[in-house]
Short mmCIF file of all heavy atoms in Angstrom, two decimals:
data_model
loop_
_atom_site.label_atom_id
_atom_site.label_comp_id
_atom_site.label_asym_id
_atom_site.label_seq_id
_atom_site.Cartn_x
_atom_site.Cartn_y
_atom_site.Cartn_z
N MET E 26 -3.02 33.77 -7.44
CA MET E 26 -3.09 32.99 -6.30
C MET E 26 -2.95 31.53 -6.61
O MET E 26 -3.65 30.96 -7.47
CB MET E 26 -4.51 33.29 -5.61
CG MET E 26 -4.82 32.37 -4.54
SD MET E 26 -6.35 33.02 -3.68
CE MET E 26 -7.27 31.53 -3.55
N PRO E 27 -2.04 30.89 -5.99
CA PRO E 27 -1.90 29.40 -6.32
C PRO E 27 -2.95 28.55 -5.68
O PRO E 27 -3.06 28.44 -4.53
CB PRO E 27 -0.52 29.10 -5.66
CG PRO E 27 -0.33 30.08 -4.58
CD PRO E 27 -1.18 31.29 -4.91
N SER E 28 -3.83 27.99 -6.52
CA SER E 28 -4.93 27.30 -6.01
C SER E 28 -4.80 25.81 -6.04
O SER E 28 -5.55 25.05 -5.43
CB SER E 28 -6.20 27.59 -6.93
OG SER E 28 -6.04 27.32 -8.24
N ASN E 29 -3.77 25.26 -6.70
CA ASN E 29 -3.59 23.93 -6.85
C ASN E 29 -3.47 23.18 -5.54
O ASN E 29 -4.13 22.11 -5.30
CB ASN E 29 -2.29 23.57 -7.63
CG ASN E 29 -2.53 23.58 -9.10
OD1 ASN E 29 -3.65 23.95 -9.54
ND2 ASN E 29 -1.53 23.23 -9.87
N MET E 30 -2.73 23.74 -4.57
CA MET E 30 -2.52 23.10 -3.32
C MET E 30 -3.77 22.93 -2.50
O MET E 30 -4.03 21.98 -1.72
CB MET E 30 -1.59 23.92 -2.44
CG MET E 30 -0.14 24.06 -3.04
SD MET E 30 0.83 22.60 -2.77
CE MET E 30 1.13 22.71 -0.91
N MET E 31 -4.69 23.91 -2.76
CA MET E 31 -5.97 23.86 -1.97
C MET E 31 -7.04 23.20 -2.67
O MET E 31 -8.23 23.24 -2.26
CB MET E 31 -6.36 25.32 -1.69
CG MET E 31 -5.30 26.12 -1.00
SD MET E 31 -4.88 25.50 0.56
CE MET E 31 -6.17 26.25 1.57
N ASP E 32 -6.78 22.57 -3.81
CA ASP E 32 -7.79 22.04 -4.66
C ASP E 32 -8.26 20.71 -4.09
O ASP E 32 -7.79 19.66 -4.56
CB ASP E 32 -7.22 21.90 -6.10
CG ASP E 32 -8.34 21.68 -7.09
OD1 ASP E 32 -9.51 21.77 -6.71
OD2 ASP E 32 -8.05 21.33 -8.20
N MET E 33 -9.15 20.74 -3.17
CA MET E 33 -9.58 19.44 -2.51
C MET E 33 -10.53 18.72 -3.45
O MET E 33 -11.36 19.33 -4.04
CB MET E 33 -10.21 19.72 -1.17
CG MET E 33 -9.32 20.23 -0.14
SD MET E 33 -8.11 19.01 0.45
CE MET E 33 -9.21 18.10 1.61
N LYS E 34 -10.43 17.46 -3.38
CA LYS E 34 -11.42 16.62 -4.11
C LYS E 34 -11.98 15.57 -3.18
O LYS E 34 -11.39 15.21 -2.21
CB LYS E 34 -10.71 15.84 -5.30
CG LYS E 34 -10.09 16.72 -6.36
CD LYS E 34 -11.14 17.17 -7.34
CE LYS E 34 -10.68 18.21 -8.22
NZ LYS E 34 -9.53 17.79 -9.11
N MET E 35 -13.19 15.12 -3.50
CA MET E 35 -13.77 14.09 -2.68
C MET E 35 -14.57 13.10 -3.48
O MET E 35 -15.04 13.40 -4.53
CB MET E 35 -14.70 14.74 -1.62
CG MET E 35 -15.89 15.53 -2.17
SD MET E 35 -17.11 15.79 -0.90
CE MET E 35 -18.16 14.37 -1.10
N VAL E 36 -14.65 11.90 -2.92
CA VAL E 36 -15.45 10.90 -3.58
C VAL E 36 -16.27 10.27 -2.47
O VAL E 36 -15.85 10.03 -1.30
CB VAL E 36 -14.54 9.75 -4.11
CG1 VAL E 36 -15.35 8.52 -4.49
CG2 VAL E 36 -13.82 10.25 -5.43
N GLN E 37 -17.62 10.11 -2.80
CA GLN E 37 -18.51 9.52 -1.87
C GLN E 37 -19.09 8.27 -2.49
O GLN E 37 -19.67 8.26 -3.56
CB GLN E 37 -19.67 10.42 -1.37
CG GLN E 37 -20.48 9.73 -0.36
CD GLN E 37 -21.26 10.76 0.46
OE1 GLN E 37 -21.53 11.90 0.12
NE2 GLN E 37 -21.66 10.40 1.70
N CYS E 38 -18.92 7.12 -1.73
CA CYS E 38 -19.41 5.85 -2.25
C CYS E 38 -20.96 5.81 -1.90
O CYS E 38 -21.47 6.53 -1.10
CB CYS E 38 -18.71 4.77 -1.44
SG CYS E 38 -19.16 3.08 -2.04
N ASP E 39 -21.61 4.94 -2.67
CA ASP E 39 -23.12 4.71 -2.45
C ASP E 39 -23.38 4.32 -1.07
O ASP E 39 -24.38 4.59 -0.54
CB ASP E 39 -23.58 3.59 -3.34
CG ASP E 39 -23.66 4.11 -4.81
OD1 ASP E 39 -23.55 5.29 -5.06
OD2 ASP E 39 -23.66 3.20 -5.69
N CYS E 40 -22.45 3.63 -0.33
CA CYS E 40 -22.69 3.17 0.98
C CYS E 40 -22.47 4.25 2.04
O CYS E 40 -22.69 4.02 3.26
CB CYS E 40 -21.78 1.95 1.29
SG CYS E 40 -20.10 2.37 1.51
N GLY E 41 -21.98 5.40 1.64
CA GLY E 41 -21.85 6.51 2.48
C GLY E 41 -20.37 6.74 2.87
O GLY E 41 -20.03 7.79 3.45
N PHE E 42 -19.49 5.81 2.52
CA PHE E 42 -18.05 6.01 2.77
C PHE E 42 -17.51 7.17 1.94
O PHE E 42 -17.87 7.25 0.79
CB PHE E 42 -17.39 4.69 2.35
CG PHE E 42 -15.81 4.69 2.62
CD1 PHE E 42 -15.34 4.39 3.86
CD2 PHE E 42 -14.95 5.02 1.58
CE1 PHE E 42 -13.99 4.39 4.10
CE2 PHE E 42 -13.57 5.02 1.78
CZ PHE E 42 -13.11 4.70 3.04
N MET E 43 -16.82 8.03 2.63
CA MET E 43 -16.34 9.13 1.91
C MET E 43 -14.90 9.45 2.12
O MET E 43 -14.36 9.20 3.23
CB MET E 43 -17.06 10.40 2.47
CG MET E 43 -16.90 11.66 1.64
SD MET E 43 -17.90 13.04 2.39
CE MET E 43 -16.69 13.75 3.38
N MET E 44 -14.18 9.84 1.12
CA MET E 44 -12.75 10.24 1.33
C MET E 44 -12.50 11.52 0.65
O MET E 44 -13.09 11.89 -0.38
CB MET E 44 -11.87 9.12 0.84
CG MET E 44 -11.97 8.68 -0.61
SD MET E 44 -11.96 6.90 -0.56
CE MET E 44 -13.69 6.69 -0.76
N GLN E 45 -11.57 12.21 1.19
CA GLN E 45 -11.30 13.59 0.77
C GLN E 45 -9.78 13.78 0.78
O GLN E 45 -9.20 13.52 1.77
CB GLN E 45 -11.99 14.58 1.54
CG GLN E 45 -11.81 16.01 1.14
CD GLN E 45 -12.84 16.96 1.83
OE1 GLN E 45 -13.93 17.26 1.31
NE2 GLN E 45 -12.45 17.38 3.03
N SER E 46 -9.21 14.35 -0.22
CA SER E 46 -7.81 14.70 -0.29
C SER E 46 -7.53 15.65 -1.32
O SER E 46 -8.33 15.90 -2.29
CB SER E 46 -7.01 13.36 -0.55
OG SER E 46 -5.64 13.69 -0.74
N HIS E 47 -6.39 16.24 -1.34
CA HIS E 47 -5.99 17.13 -2.47
C HIS E 47 -5.12 16.32 -3.37
O HIS E 47 -4.63 16.85 -4.40
CB HIS E 47 -5.35 18.42 -2.01
CG HIS E 47 -4.31 18.27 -0.91
ND1 HIS E 47 -4.55 18.85 0.27
CD2 HIS E 47 -3.15 17.55 -0.88
CE1 HIS E 47 -3.52 18.55 1.08
NE2 HIS E 47 -2.69 17.78 0.42
N ASN E 48 -4.93 15.06 -3.08
CA ASN E 48 -4.14 14.22 -3.99
C ASN E 48 -5.06 13.23 -4.66
O ASN E 48 -5.55 12.20 -4.04
CB ASN E 48 -3.07 13.48 -3.06
CG ASN E 48 -2.17 12.58 -3.95
OD1 ASN E 48 -2.47 12.15 -5.07
ND2 ASN E 48 -1.03 12.26 -3.37
N GLU E 49 -5.33 13.45 -5.92
CA GLU E 49 -6.23 12.61 -6.66
C GLU E 49 -5.85 11.16 -6.67
O GLU E 49 -6.69 10.24 -6.52
CB GLU E 49 -6.29 13.12 -8.11
CG GLU E 49 -7.30 14.29 -8.28
CD GLU E 49 -7.53 14.51 -9.79
OE1 GLU E 49 -7.28 13.65 -10.61
OE2 GLU E 49 -8.06 15.68 -10.08
N ASN E 50 -4.50 10.85 -6.84
CA ASN E 50 -4.06 9.52 -6.84
C ASN E 50 -4.34 8.77 -5.58
O ASN E 50 -4.67 7.55 -5.54
CB ASN E 50 -2.57 9.46 -7.20
CG ASN E 50 -2.26 9.98 -8.58
OD1 ASN E 50 -3.16 9.80 -9.50
ND2 ASN E 50 -1.17 10.52 -8.87
N GLU E 51 -4.20 9.55 -4.51
CA GLU E 51 -4.54 9.01 -3.23
C GLU E 51 -6.01 8.51 -3.10
O GLU E 51 -6.38 7.51 -2.60
CB GLU E 51 -4.22 9.96 -2.08
CG GLU E 51 -4.09 9.41 -0.73
CD GLU E 51 -3.53 10.50 0.21
OE1 GLU E 51 -2.34 10.74 0.23
OE2 GLU E 51 -4.36 11.08 0.98
N ILE E 52 -6.86 9.47 -3.55
CA ILE E 52 -8.34 9.24 -3.52
C ILE E 52 -8.61 7.94 -4.40
O ILE E 52 -9.41 7.05 -3.99
CB ILE E 52 -9.07 10.41 -4.00
CG1 ILE E 52 -8.96 11.53 -3.05
CG2 ILE E 52 -10.65 10.02 -4.16
CD1 ILE E 52 -9.77 12.78 -3.42
N VAL E 53 -8.02 7.91 -5.58
CA VAL E 53 -8.24 6.78 -6.46
C VAL E 53 -7.81 5.46 -5.79
O VAL E 53 -8.54 4.54 -5.74
CB VAL E 53 -7.44 6.93 -7.77
CG1 VAL E 53 -7.40 5.65 -8.54
CG2 VAL E 53 -8.03 8.08 -8.60
N LYS E 54 -6.63 5.48 -5.18
CA LYS E 54 -6.20 4.26 -4.46
C LYS E 54 -7.06 3.87 -3.28
O LYS E 54 -7.47 2.69 -3.14
CB LYS E 54 -4.79 4.40 -4.00
CG LYS E 54 -3.74 4.32 -5.14
CD LYS E 54 -2.36 4.02 -4.49
CE LYS E 54 -1.43 3.91 -5.66
NZ LYS E 54 -0.36 4.88 -5.60
N MET E 55 -7.43 4.80 -2.51
CA MET E 55 -8.24 4.59 -1.36
C MET E 55 -9.64 4.02 -1.73
O MET E 55 -10.21 3.16 -1.18
CB MET E 55 -8.36 5.80 -0.48
CG MET E 55 -7.15 6.07 0.27
SD MET E 55 -7.28 7.69 1.18
CE MET E 55 -8.46 7.41 2.31
N THR E 56 -10.19 4.67 -2.83
CA THR E 56 -11.48 4.31 -3.33
C THR E 56 -11.45 2.85 -3.83
O THR E 56 -12.35 2.03 -3.58
CB THR E 56 -12.02 5.22 -4.36
OG1 THR E 56 -11.96 6.60 -3.80
CG2 THR E 56 -13.47 4.90 -4.81
N GLN E 57 -10.47 2.60 -4.63
CA GLN E 57 -10.33 1.23 -5.21
C GLN E 57 -10.21 0.25 -4.10
O GLN E 57 -10.80 -0.82 -4.16
CB GLN E 57 -9.14 1.14 -6.14
CG GLN E 57 -9.29 1.86 -7.46
CD GLN E 57 -8.03 2.03 -8.28
OE1 GLN E 57 -6.94 1.98 -7.77
NE2 GLN E 57 -8.23 1.98 -9.58
N MET E 58 -9.44 0.48 -3.05
CA MET E 58 -9.29 -0.45 -1.99
C MET E 58 -10.63 -0.66 -1.27
O MET E 58 -10.95 -1.74 -0.90
CB MET E 58 -8.25 0.06 -0.92
CG MET E 58 -6.87 -0.33 -1.24
SD MET E 58 -5.65 0.52 -0.16
CE MET E 58 -6.26 -0.10 1.45
N HIS E 59 -11.31 0.45 -0.98
CA HIS E 59 -12.61 0.36 -0.32
C HIS E 59 -13.65 -0.45 -1.14
O HIS E 59 -14.29 -1.33 -0.61
CB HIS E 59 -13.17 1.81 -0.09
CG HIS E 59 -14.62 1.81 0.33
ND1 HIS E 59 -15.08 1.42 1.49
CD2 HIS E 59 -15.75 2.05 -0.53
CE1 HIS E 59 -16.39 1.46 1.49
NE2 HIS E 59 -16.91 1.81 0.24
N VAL E 60 -13.75 -0.16 -2.37
CA VAL E 60 -14.71 -0.85 -3.23
C VAL E 60 -14.37 -2.34 -3.31
O VAL E 60 -15.25 -3.25 -3.35
CB VAL E 60 -14.68 -0.21 -4.62
CG1 VAL E 60 -15.51 -1.03 -5.58
CG2 VAL E 60 -15.41 1.16 -4.57
N LYS E 61 -13.11 -2.66 -3.38
CA LYS E 61 -12.69 -4.04 -3.49
C LYS E 61 -13.03 -4.75 -2.09
O LYS E 61 -13.58 -5.86 -2.06
CB LYS E 61 -11.32 -4.14 -3.82
CG LYS E 61 -10.74 -5.58 -4.07
CD LYS E 61 -9.76 -5.54 -5.17
CE LYS E 61 -9.66 -6.91 -5.78
NZ LYS E 61 -9.09 -6.93 -7.12
N ASP E 62 -12.54 -4.16 -1.03
CA ASP E 62 -12.75 -4.79 0.36
C ASP E 62 -14.24 -4.87 0.66
O ASP E 62 -14.70 -5.94 1.19
CB ASP E 62 -12.01 -4.01 1.40
CG ASP E 62 -10.56 -4.14 1.34
OD1 ASP E 62 -10.09 -4.92 0.50
OD2 ASP E 62 -9.83 -3.53 2.16
N THR E 63 -14.92 -3.80 0.43
CA THR E 63 -16.27 -3.74 0.97
C THR E 63 -17.31 -4.21 0.10
O THR E 63 -18.34 -4.81 0.44
CB THR E 63 -16.64 -2.31 1.34
OG1 THR E 63 -15.55 -1.75 2.21
CG2 THR E 63 -17.90 -2.15 2.14
N HIS E 64 -17.11 -4.01 -1.25
CA HIS E 64 -18.17 -4.32 -2.21
C HIS E 64 -17.74 -5.45 -3.24
O HIS E 64 -18.48 -5.79 -4.13
CB HIS E 64 -18.59 -3.15 -3.07
CG HIS E 64 -18.99 -1.96 -2.14
ND1 HIS E 64 -20.06 -2.07 -1.34
CD2 HIS E 64 -18.38 -0.78 -1.86
CE1 HIS E 64 -20.12 -0.87 -0.62
NE2 HIS E 64 -19.12 -0.08 -0.92
N GLN E 65 -16.47 -5.97 -3.05
CA GLN E 65 -15.94 -6.95 -3.97
C GLN E 65 -16.17 -6.57 -5.40
O GLN E 65 -16.60 -7.31 -6.28
CB GLN E 65 -16.61 -8.39 -3.72
CG GLN E 65 -16.16 -9.02 -2.39
CD GLN E 65 -16.93 -8.46 -1.19
OE1 GLN E 65 -18.12 -8.33 -1.19
NE2 GLN E 65 -16.13 -8.10 -0.20
N GLN E 66 -15.79 -5.33 -5.69
CA GLN E 66 -15.86 -4.81 -7.06
C GLN E 66 -14.53 -4.20 -7.45
O GLN E 66 -13.82 -3.68 -6.59
CB GLN E 66 -16.92 -3.70 -7.20
CG GLN E 66 -18.33 -4.32 -7.28
CD GLN E 66 -19.40 -3.25 -7.20
OE1 GLN E 66 -19.15 -2.13 -7.56
NE2 GLN E 66 -20.56 -3.55 -6.67
N ASP E 67 -14.23 -4.20 -8.67
CA ASP E 67 -13.08 -3.46 -9.23
C ASP E 67 -13.49 -2.16 -9.92
O ASP E 67 -14.52 -2.11 -10.67
CB ASP E 67 -12.34 -4.38 -10.29
CG ASP E 67 -11.60 -5.47 -9.56
OD1 ASP E 67 -10.76 -5.14 -8.63
OD2 ASP E 67 -11.80 -6.63 -9.89
N MET E 68 -12.77 -1.09 -9.59
CA MET E 68 -13.07 0.13 -10.19
C MET E 68 -11.86 0.72 -10.84
O MET E 68 -10.76 0.75 -10.22
CB MET E 68 -13.53 1.07 -9.09
CG MET E 68 -14.30 2.24 -9.57
SD MET E 68 -15.02 3.16 -8.21
CE MET E 68 -16.71 2.77 -8.38
N SER E 69 -11.95 1.26 -12.08
CA SER E 69 -10.83 1.80 -12.73
C SER E 69 -10.59 3.19 -12.19
O SER E 69 -11.45 3.89 -11.64
CB SER E 69 -10.97 1.84 -14.21
OG SER E 69 -11.96 2.76 -14.52
N ALA E 70 -9.34 3.68 -12.42
CA ALA E 70 -9.02 5.06 -12.01
C ALA E 70 -9.94 6.05 -12.72
O ALA E 70 -10.38 7.06 -12.19
CB ALA E 70 -7.60 5.36 -12.31
N ARG E 71 -10.22 5.76 -13.93
CA ARG E 71 -11.14 6.62 -14.74
C ARG E 71 -12.55 6.73 -14.02
O ARG E 71 -13.16 7.79 -13.99
CB ARG E 71 -11.27 6.10 -16.13
CG ARG E 71 -12.10 6.91 -17.05
CD ARG E 71 -12.22 6.23 -18.42
NE ARG E 71 -10.94 6.33 -19.11
CZ ARG E 71 -10.74 6.91 -20.24
NH1 ARG E 71 -11.76 7.60 -20.81
NH2 ARG E 71 -9.63 6.99 -20.88
N GLU E 72 -13.02 5.55 -13.64
CA GLU E 72 -14.34 5.54 -12.92
C GLU E 72 -14.32 6.38 -11.72
O GLU E 72 -15.19 7.10 -11.38
CB GLU E 72 -14.73 4.11 -12.67
CG GLU E 72 -15.26 3.41 -13.89
CD GLU E 72 -15.56 1.91 -13.60
OE1 GLU E 72 -14.63 1.17 -13.15
OE2 GLU E 72 -16.75 1.54 -13.77
N VAL E 73 -13.28 6.11 -10.88
CA VAL E 73 -13.16 6.89 -9.64
C VAL E 73 -13.08 8.40 -9.93
O VAL E 73 -13.80 9.20 -9.26
CB VAL E 73 -11.83 6.52 -8.85
CG1 VAL E 73 -11.77 7.36 -7.67
CG2 VAL E 73 -11.92 5.00 -8.45
N LYS E 74 -12.32 8.78 -10.90
CA LYS E 74 -12.27 10.19 -11.20
C LYS E 74 -13.59 10.77 -11.70
O LYS E 74 -13.92 11.95 -11.51
CB LYS E 74 -11.16 10.44 -12.29
CG LYS E 74 -9.78 10.37 -11.62
CD LYS E 74 -8.58 10.63 -12.59
CE LYS E 74 -7.32 10.40 -11.82
NZ LYS E 74 -6.10 10.63 -12.61
N GLY E 75 -14.36 9.84 -12.32
CA GLY E 75 -15.72 10.31 -12.76
C GLY E 75 -16.65 10.65 -11.59
O GLY E 75 -17.63 11.29 -11.73
N MET E 76 -16.35 9.93 -10.34
CA MET E 76 -17.17 10.18 -9.22
C MET E 76 -16.68 11.40 -8.43
O MET E 76 -17.33 11.75 -7.39
CB MET E 76 -16.99 8.99 -8.29
CG MET E 76 -17.74 7.71 -8.85
SD MET E 76 -17.28 6.27 -7.89
CE MET E 76 -18.01 6.67 -6.31
N MET E 77 -15.52 11.87 -8.73
CA MET E 77 -14.87 12.98 -7.90
C MET E 77 -15.71 14.26 -8.00
O MET E 77 -16.18 14.67 -9.06
CB MET E 77 -13.49 13.32 -8.42
CG MET E 77 -12.48 12.45 -7.62
SD MET E 77 -10.81 12.88 -8.18
CE MET E 77 -10.00 11.39 -7.66
N LYS E 78 -15.82 14.85 -6.86
CA LYS E 78 -16.43 16.23 -6.79
C LYS E 78 -15.46 17.13 -6.07
O LYS E 78 -14.59 16.69 -5.36
CB LYS E 78 -17.69 16.11 -5.99
CG LYS E 78 -18.74 15.24 -6.60
CD LYS E 78 -19.93 15.11 -5.61
CE LYS E 78 -20.83 14.02 -6.03
NZ LYS E 78 -21.74 13.65 -5.03
N PRO E 79 -15.68 18.42 -6.20
CA PRO E 79 -14.89 19.26 -5.44
C PRO E 79 -15.06 19.12 -3.97
O PRO E 79 -16.16 18.90 -3.48
CB PRO E 79 -15.34 20.73 -5.80
CG PRO E 79 -16.18 20.52 -7.07
CD PRO E 79 -16.66 19.09 -7.00
N GLY E 80 -14.00 19.02 -3.20
CA GLY E 80 -14.03 18.82 -1.79
C GLY E 80 -14.36 20.09 -1.05
O GLY E 80 -14.46 21.13 -1.63
N MET E 81 -14.53 19.89 0.26
CA MET E 81 -14.83 21.04 1.11
C MET E 81 -13.53 21.71 1.61
O MET E 81 -12.66 20.99 1.99
CB MET E 81 -15.71 20.67 2.28
CG MET E 81 -17.11 20.44 1.92
SD MET E 81 -17.95 19.70 3.29
CE MET E 81 -17.55 17.92 3.03
N MET E 82 -13.45 22.94 1.55
CA MET E 82 -12.32 23.66 2.07
C MET E 82 -12.33 23.59 3.58
O MET E 82 -13.32 23.84 4.26
CB MET E 82 -12.38 25.12 1.61
CG MET E 82 -12.11 25.25 0.14
SD MET E 82 -10.42 24.74 -0.31
CE MET E 82 -10.41 25.27 -2.01
N MET E 83 -11.25 23.31 4.11
CA MET E 83 -11.05 23.34 5.59
C MET E 83 -9.97 24.33 6.05
O MET E 83 -8.87 24.12 5.75
CB MET E 83 -10.78 21.88 6.13
CG MET E 83 -12.01 21.02 6.11
SD MET E 83 -11.66 19.43 6.74
CE MET E 83 -10.71 18.67 5.36
N LYS E 84 -10.36 25.46 6.59
CA LYS E 84 -9.40 26.41 6.94
C LYS E 84 -9.43 26.62 8.45
O LYS E 84 -10.51 26.46 9.10
CB LYS E 84 -9.72 27.73 6.22
CG LYS E 84 -9.31 27.69 4.74
CD LYS E 84 -9.46 29.08 4.17
CE LYS E 84 -8.90 28.93 2.68
NZ LYS E 84 -9.03 30.26 2.06
ZN1 ZN V 1 -18.82 1.69 -0.30
#
C-alpha cells in the first residue's frame, strides 16, 4: 500500500498556530514565514522538522 501520499505531517507553534500538509517543504516554508512575521525569529529547516509530528488523516 503506497503510504507516502497520505503521510500527513503537522507543526504546531507555541502560540497555537498550526499547519498541516503532506509536503514537508511546504510546512517548513510556512512555519518559517509564520515565525518570522509573528515572532520575529528565524528558524532553520532542521528546527522545523524537529517540531514535526504525524498529522491527522482526513478521509
Ligand atoms: Zn506562533
Side-chain angles (χ1 to χ4, degrees):
M26 169 171 136
S28 59
N29 275 6
M30 297 279 290
M31 306 297 280
D32 194 11
M33 293 289 281
K34 296 281 173 61
M35 61 165 270
V36 165
Q37 184 158 24
C38 183
D39 287 342
C40 72
F42 183 83
M43 192 178 92
M44 56 227 100
Q45 181 169 266
S46 174
H47 44 244
N48 183 340
E49 278 192 15
N50 292 329
E51 196 173 281
I52 295 183
V53 168
K54 282 202 180 116
M55 285 171 67
T56 305
Q57 286 174 331
M58 272 173 57
H59 164 77
V60 168
K61 188 143 200 159
D62 284 358
T63 308
H64 307 292
Q65 288 78 50
Q66 284 173 25
D67 285 306
M68 198 175 251
S69 69
R71 180 184 293 245
E72 283 176 299
V73 176
K74 285 181 183 180
M76 289 167 68
M77 266 183 206
K78 298 174 191 165
M81 282 168 281
M82 291 294 185
M83 284 181 287
K84 283 191 177 178

